[in-house]
């Protein structure tokens, strides 16, 4: 029976965020703990009335505190470029600069002054450098949501695959390339690899007695140009796999972001047998299809 596209799409979700999606606190704590000693040394500058003198003294005794400085500015790099009316300069905060004790102290004093870090510390705008660094790490980790979000749908699909009795490495496989599928089961996938000249990786491959299923899983919470391209490319992939005996392409997708690319998605829906959303997963589609 032909499914109704609009009814199917009406079940799309706004979000599938899990509790650990927003911030990976374990990673935050781990990153800050690696700098705990150096951060606490810098903490002696909080409220300092002679902060330049004190900072010079710290660099003389504990030059390794330099590796903390980029974090205080929410920067992940070991080298930071800055310029002003005096010109430009690349500041090195790597392990090498403080182990070889070739620190241009005047330069780093200038850096601390011009970036506002001296003011932050000496005026007691913060009370604890360690706590401040934890906050900065938390903010930086929020940038990782996109990467975590990209795996949420994959994790969800995998959980339903497992619930239906499939075993990783035996009856289902994660992130499998076309050449690996061909090598393992002898399936000719030339129709989707341009006769071996192009490579394709499926998020999952499920192997049953009668069929091999190549699976893609994604979720789009917001609109974007990528959605139209995804719908078009998966439509082509579905048409190509229809010509391959013993192989089927299955696409699990969801998310309100599809509203902006509804027409392209509908074109794919109309020609693709195995396209499903989260509601389909919850209604047992895995057990119905992978037989």
């Amino acid at each position: 029976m032909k499914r109704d596209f609009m009814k199917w799409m009406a079940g799309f979700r706004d979000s599938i965020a899990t509790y650990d999606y927003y911030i990976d606190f374990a990673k935050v704590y781990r990153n800050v703990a690696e700098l705990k000693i150096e951060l606490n040394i810098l903490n002696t500058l909080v409220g300092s009335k002679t902060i330049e003198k004190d900072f010079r003294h710290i660099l003389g005794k504990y030059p390794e505190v330099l590796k903390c400085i980029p974090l205080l500015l929410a920067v992940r790099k070991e080298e930071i470029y800055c310029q002003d009316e005096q010109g430009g300069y690349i500041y090195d905060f790597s392990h090498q600069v403080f182990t070889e004790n070739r620190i241009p102290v005047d330069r780093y004093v200038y850096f601390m002054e011009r970036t506002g870090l001296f003011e932050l510390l000496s005026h007691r705008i913060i009370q604890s450098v360690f706590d401040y660094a934890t906050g900065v790490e938390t903010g930086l980790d929020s940038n990782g949501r996109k990467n975590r979000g990209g795996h949420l749908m994959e994790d969800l699909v995998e959980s339903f695959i497992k619930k239906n009795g499939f075993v990783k490495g035996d009856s289902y496989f994660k992130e499998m390339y076309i050449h690996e599928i061909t090598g393992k089961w002898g399936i000719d996938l030339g129709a989707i690899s341009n006769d071996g000249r192009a490579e394709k990786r499926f998020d999952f491959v499920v192997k049953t007695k009668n069929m091999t299923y190549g699976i893609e899983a994604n979720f789009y919470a917001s609109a974007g140009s990528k959605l139209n391209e995804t719908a078009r490319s998966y439509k082509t992939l579905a048409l190509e796999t229809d010509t391959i005996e013993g192989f089927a392409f299955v696409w699990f997708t969801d998310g309100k972001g599809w509203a902006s690319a509804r027409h392209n998605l509908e074109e794919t829906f109309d020609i693709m047998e195995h396209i499903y959303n989260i509601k389909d997963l919850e209604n047992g589609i895995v057990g119905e299809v992978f037989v």
Side-chain angles (χ1 to χ4, degrees), residues 40-111:
N40 282 322
I41 292 173
L42 281 181
N43 201 64
T44 62
L45 295 176
V46 173
S48 171
K49 302 299 184 184
T50 55
I51 193 164
E52 180 180 325
K53 175 185 175 183
D54 295 340
F55 181 68
R56 289 176 181 274
H57 177 70
I58 285 175
L59 283 192
K61 291 193 68 175
Y62 310 105
E64 61 271 21
V65 300
L66 279 177
K67 64 184 177 183
C68 299
I69 303 303
L71 176 59
L72 302 185
L73 295 174
V75 175
R76 290 288 191 200
K77 299 182 295 184
E78 291 185 330
E79 291 186 348
I80 297 178
Y81 175 82
C82 294
Q83 67 177 37
D84 59 10
E85 65 279 0
Q86 302 297 324
Y89 189 78
I90 298 176
Y91 293 87
D92 184 2
F93 298 94
S94 69
H95 183 76
Q96 180 178 349
V97 73
F98 56 78
T99 53
E100 295 187 1
N101 202 27
R102 295 186 291 104
I103 302 173
V105 176
D106 289 341
R107 276 289 183 184
Y108 287 98
V109 168
Y110 189 74
F111 179 90

Side-chain angles (χ1 to χ4, degrees), residues 8-19:
W8 177 72
M9 193 173 174
F12 279 22
R13 312 288 171 89
D14 291 311
S15 173
I16 53 172
T18 53
Y19 287 100

Side-chain angles (χ1 to χ4, degrees), residues 2 20 66 85 87 94 112 114 122 172 174 177 199 213 226 232 246-247 264 288-289 291:
K2 182 175 175 59
D20 57 359
L66 279 177
E85 65 279 0
S94 69
M112 296 290 286
R114 292 305 300 265
S122 64
Y172 90 88
K174 195 169 182 178
Y177 287 92
E199 187 62 282
Y213 300 89
K226 183 180 179 182
R232 284 191 293 265
F247 187 86
N264 279 310
E288 295 176 18
V289 172
V291 294

